[in-house]
Amino acid sequence: MYIRSEKELRSIFGFAKNRAKDKLLTKLEKHSMAFIQLSPFFTLASYNSEGKADCSPRGGKPGFVKIINEGCIVIPESKGNNRLDSLVNVLETKDIGCLFLIPGVDETLRVNGTASISIAAEHLALFEEEPNPPKACIEVQITEVFLHCAKALMRSKLWSSKSTVERSSLPTMGIMINDQLGLDEEPETHANMLKRYNKDL
Protein backbone atom coordinates (compact mmCIF):
# COMPACT_ATOMS: atom_id res chain seq x y z
CA MET A 1 0.00 0.00 0.00
CA TYR A 2 1.40 3.39 -1.02
CA ILE A 3 0.55 7.02 -0.47
CA ARG A 4 -0.54 8.58 -3.78
CA SER A 5 -1.42 12.19 -2.94
CA GLU A 6 -0.44 15.04 -0.65
CA LYS A 7 -3.92 14.86 0.88
CA GLU A 8 -3.22 11.29 2.02
CA LEU A 9 0.23 12.32 3.21
CA ARG A 10 -1.12 15.21 5.27
CA SER A 11 -3.80 13.01 6.80
CA ILE A 12 -0.98 10.97 8.37
CA PHE A 13 1.61 13.64 9.18
CA GLY A 14 -0.33 16.89 9.35
CA PHE A 15 1.22 20.29 8.60
CA ALA A 16 4.23 22.22 9.84
CA LYS A 17 3.37 24.61 12.64
CA ASN A 18 4.75 27.68 14.36
CA ARG A 19 8.52 28.14 13.87
CA ALA A 20 8.87 25.14 11.55
CA LYS A 21 6.32 26.76 9.22
CA ASP A 22 7.56 30.34 9.57
CA LYS A 23 11.35 29.88 9.43
CA LEU A 24 11.57 29.90 5.62
CA LEU A 25 13.44 33.00 4.42
CA THR A 26 14.07 34.25 0.90
CA LYS A 27 17.55 35.66 1.51
CA LEU A 28 20.57 35.27 3.75
CA GLU A 29 20.84 37.15 7.04
CA LYS A 30 23.58 37.30 9.69
CA HIS A 31 23.09 33.79 11.08
CA SER A 32 22.86 31.98 7.74
CA MET A 33 25.86 33.97 6.47
CA ALA A 34 27.86 32.95 9.54
CA PHE A 35 26.83 29.32 9.00
CA ILE A 36 28.10 29.30 5.40
CA GLN A 37 31.35 31.02 6.43
CA LEU A 38 32.01 28.29 9.01
CA SER A 39 31.03 25.36 6.78
CA PRO A 40 33.73 23.21 5.10
CA PHE A 41 31.21 20.81 3.52
CA PHE A 42 27.82 20.74 1.85
CA THR A 43 25.81 18.55 -0.47
CA LEU A 44 24.48 19.86 -3.78
CA ALA A 45 21.24 18.44 -5.13
CA SER A 46 20.13 18.95 -8.72
CA TYR A 47 18.09 17.26 -11.44
CA ASN A 48 18.13 17.02 -15.22
CA SER A 49 15.51 17.76 -17.88
CA GLU A 50 14.09 14.25 -17.47
CA GLY A 51 13.64 14.74 -13.73
CA LYS A 52 16.51 12.43 -12.78
CA ALA A 53 17.86 13.61 -9.42
CA ASP A 54 21.47 13.75 -8.29
CA CYS A 55 23.29 14.78 -5.11
CA SER A 56 27.02 15.38 -4.82
CA PRO A 57 29.38 16.27 -1.95
CA ARG A 58 31.39 19.52 -2.02
CA GLY A 59 34.18 20.44 0.35
CA GLY A 60 36.91 22.96 1.06
CA LYS A 61 38.25 25.21 3.74
CA PRO A 62 35.56 26.76 5.98
CA GLY A 63 33.95 29.51 3.95
CA PHE A 64 35.01 28.07 0.57
CA VAL A 65 31.54 29.00 -0.70
CA LYS A 66 31.62 32.76 -1.19
CA ILE A 67 28.80 35.08 -0.19
CA ILE A 68 28.31 37.85 -2.76
CA ASN A 69 25.34 39.42 -1.04
CA GLU A 70 22.20 38.40 0.83
CA GLY A 71 20.72 36.94 -2.33
CA CYS A 72 23.71 35.31 -4.02
CA ILE A 73 26.46 32.79 -3.30
CA VAL A 74 29.22 31.44 -5.55
CA ILE A 75 30.41 27.82 -5.41
CA PRO A 76 33.78 26.84 -6.90
CA GLU A 77 33.67 23.92 -9.31
CA SER A 78 36.74 22.25 -7.85
CA LYS A 79 38.82 19.79 -9.83
CA GLY A 80 37.11 16.40 -9.99
CA ASN A 81 36.45 13.45 -12.27
CA ASN A 82 34.87 15.48 -15.10
CA ARG A 83 31.55 13.64 -15.01
CA LEU A 84 30.05 17.14 -14.56
CA ASP A 85 26.67 15.73 -13.55
CA SER A 86 25.73 18.76 -11.46
CA LEU A 87 26.88 21.27 -14.07
CA VAL A 88 24.94 19.57 -16.86
CA ASN A 89 21.87 19.53 -14.62
CA VAL A 90 22.29 23.25 -13.95
CA LEU A 91 22.41 23.90 -17.69
CA GLU A 92 19.22 21.91 -18.19
CA THR A 93 17.04 22.92 -15.24
CA LYS A 94 18.91 25.52 -13.10
CA ASP A 95 17.23 24.59 -9.77
CA ILE A 96 19.57 23.37 -7.02
CA GLY A 97 19.46 22.68 -3.30
CA CYS A 98 22.36 22.94 -0.85
CA LEU A 99 22.68 21.45 2.63
CA PHE A 100 25.53 23.00 4.65
CA LEU A 101 27.16 21.21 7.59
CA ILE A 102 29.61 22.36 10.26
CA PRO A 103 31.60 19.69 12.13
CA GLY A 104 30.41 19.52 15.73
CA VAL A 105 27.15 21.37 15.01
CA ASP A 106 23.99 19.28 14.76
CA GLU A 107 21.91 21.92 12.99
CA THR A 108 22.22 22.26 9.22
CA LEU A 109 21.43 25.05 6.77
CA ARG A 110 19.35 24.57 3.65
CA VAL A 111 19.79 26.96 0.73
CA ASN A 112 17.79 26.56 -2.47
CA GLY A 113 18.02 28.66 -5.58
CA THR A 114 18.44 29.17 -9.29
CA ALA A 115 21.92 28.38 -10.56
CA SER A 116 24.08 29.47 -13.48
CA ILE A 117 27.58 28.40 -14.50
CA SER A 118 29.91 31.38 -14.35
CA ILE A 119 33.36 31.91 -15.84
CA ALA A 120 33.25 35.62 -14.99
CA ALA A 121 36.64 37.01 -14.00
CA GLU A 122 35.27 38.52 -10.79
CA HIS A 123 33.95 35.13 -9.68
CA LEU A 124 37.08 33.16 -10.58
CA ALA A 125 39.19 35.79 -8.78
CA LEU A 126 37.50 34.80 -5.52
CA PHE A 127 39.41 31.50 -5.65
CA GLU A 128 42.68 32.52 -7.31
CA GLU A 129 44.71 31.71 -4.17
CA GLU A 130 43.57 28.08 -4.14
CA PRO A 131 46.23 25.45 -5.06
CA ASN A 132 43.99 24.34 -7.95
CA PRO A 133 41.78 27.33 -8.86
CA PRO A 134 38.46 26.36 -10.47
CA LYS A 135 37.82 26.80 -14.19
CA ALA A 136 34.19 27.70 -13.49
CA CYS A 137 31.85 28.50 -10.62
CA ILE A 138 28.19 27.97 -9.83
CA GLU A 139 26.40 31.24 -9.11
CA VAL A 140 23.26 30.71 -7.05
CA GLN A 141 20.49 33.26 -6.90
CA ILE A 142 18.84 32.33 -3.61
CA THR A 143 15.12 31.67 -3.36
CA GLU A 144 14.85 29.81 -0.02
CA VAL A 145 16.94 29.67 3.17
CA PHE A 146 16.22 27.97 6.44
CA LEU A 147 17.94 26.34 9.38
CA HIS A 148 17.16 22.66 9.75
CA CYS A 149 16.71 21.18 13.21
CA ALA A 150 19.30 18.94 14.87
CA LYS A 151 17.27 15.71 15.08
CA ALA A 152 18.84 13.84 12.13
CA LEU A 153 22.41 14.45 13.27
CA MET A 154 21.49 13.75 16.88
CA ARG A 155 20.00 10.41 15.86
CA SER A 156 23.04 9.50 13.79
CA LYS A 157 25.53 10.82 16.39
CA LEU A 158 27.51 11.91 13.34
CA TRP A 159 30.11 13.95 15.19
CA SER A 160 30.66 11.48 18.03
CA SER A 161 34.02 9.70 18.08
CA LYS A 162 32.06 6.54 18.93
CA SER A 163 30.40 6.77 15.50
CA THR A 164 33.68 6.71 13.62
CA VAL A 165 33.99 3.67 11.37
CA GLU A 166 37.42 2.21 10.67
CA ARG A 167 38.31 2.62 6.98
CA SER A 168 39.31 -1.05 6.96
CA SER A 169 35.64 -1.96 7.50
CA LEU A 170 35.24 -1.57 3.72
CA PRO A 171 37.48 -2.71 0.88
CA THR A 172 39.59 -0.04 -0.81
CA MET A 173 37.95 2.14 -3.45
CA GLY A 174 40.06 0.36 -6.08
CA ILE A 175 38.72 -3.05 -5.08
CA MET A 176 35.12 -1.86 -4.92
CA ILE A 177 35.28 -0.18 -8.36
CA ASN A 178 36.93 -3.26 -9.88
CA ASP A 179 34.20 -5.47 -8.45
CA GLN A 180 31.39 -3.14 -9.56
CA LEU A 181 32.74 -2.89 -13.11
CA GLY A 182 33.87 -6.50 -13.37
CA LEU A 183 37.46 -5.48 -14.08
CA ASP A 184 40.17 -8.11 -14.07
CA GLU A 185 43.15 -5.93 -13.21
CA GLU A 186 45.24 -4.99 -10.20
CA PRO A 187 43.20 -2.55 -8.10
CA GLU A 188 44.68 0.79 -7.13
CA THR A 189 45.92 0.75 -3.55
CA HIS A 190 44.46 3.11 -0.97
CA ALA A 191 47.86 4.80 -0.55
CA ASN A 192 48.20 5.41 -4.29
CA MET A 193 44.66 6.73 -4.49
CA LEU A 194 45.32 9.24 -1.71
CA LYS A 195 48.57 10.31 -3.40
CA ARG A 196 46.67 10.90 -6.65
CA TYR A 197 43.81 12.73 -4.95
CA ASN A 198 46.16 15.04 -3.05
CA LYS A 199 47.43 16.47 -6.32
CA ASP A 200 43.92 17.73 -7.10
CA LEU A 201 42.93 19.23 -3.73
Side-chain angles (χ1 to χ4, degrees):
M1 185 174 183
Y2 300 95
I3 294 172
R4 300 297 185 185
S5 68
E6 183 176 351
K7 182 178 180 181
E8 292 179 81
L9 191 66
R10 294 297 181 183
S11 71
I12 296 172
F13 290 97
F15 291 82
K17 297 178 181 178
N18 304 322
R19 291 190 302 177
K21 175 175 65 68
D22 299 332
K23 67 182 178 180
L24 178 65
L25 306 176
T26 57
K27 59 186 179 182
L28 302 174
E29 40 63 67
K30 64 179 183 180
H31 299 301
S32 48
M33 287 183 180
F35 205 104
I36 292 171
Q37 289 165 346
L38 289 170
S39 175
F41 178 85
F42 78 101
T43 60
L44 190 154
S46 61
Y47 63 97
N48 67 14
S49 58
E50 297 177 352
K52 182 180 177 182
D54 181 73
C55 188
S56 68
R58 303 298 174 105
K61 293 181 294 187
F64 75 102
V65 172
K66 304 302 182 185
I67 299 169
I68 304 302
N69 54 50
E70 63 186 13
C72 179
I73 59 175
V74 173
I75 302 164
E77 182 58 28
S78 300
K79 193 172 181 180
N81 57 19
N82 288 334
R83 281 184 57 97
L84 306 181
D85 296 319
S86 298
L87 295 188
V88 172
N89 289 351
V90 165
L91 289 175
E92 292 186 1
T93 61
K94 294 189 176 294
D95 293 332
I96 66 169
C98 305
L99 182 68
F100 289 90
L101 288 84
I102 301 172
V105 176
D106 285 340
E107 290 78 18
T108 56
L109 179 74
R110 290 168 64 171
V111 176
N112 300 323
T114 302
S116 301
I117 301 172
S118 171
I119 53 172
E122 62 267 29
H123 287 160
L124 296 177
L126 297 170
F127 310 99
E128 61 187 4
E129 295 184 1
E130 294 295 324
N132 287 294
K135 297 177 181 178
C137 306
I138 301 174
E139 179 193 79
V140 182
Q141 296 296 327
I142 294 168
T143 56
E144 296 179 326
V145 180
F146 61 96
L147 288 164
H148 202 94
C149 78
K151 291 177 183 176
L153 272 70
M154 290 173 66
R155 291 185 184 112
S156 67
K157 296 180 172 57
L158 184 63
W159 309 126
S160 171
S161 59
K162 295 180 181 178
S163 298
T164 301
V165 176
E166 291 292 333
R167 181 61 188 83
S168 59
S169 299
L170 288 170
T172 66
M173 185 72 157
I175 291 173
M176 290 191 286
I177 293 293
N178 275 17
D179 288 348
Q180 290 175 347
L181 300 181
L183 300 179
D184 185 22
E185 60 185 43
E186 187 68 24
E188 183 180 34
T189 67
H190 187 66
N192 286 343
M193 182 198 71
L194 293 179
K195 185 177 180 181
R196 176 169 57 83
Y197 282 178
N198 279 319
K199 294 178 181 179
D200 296 335
L201 296 180

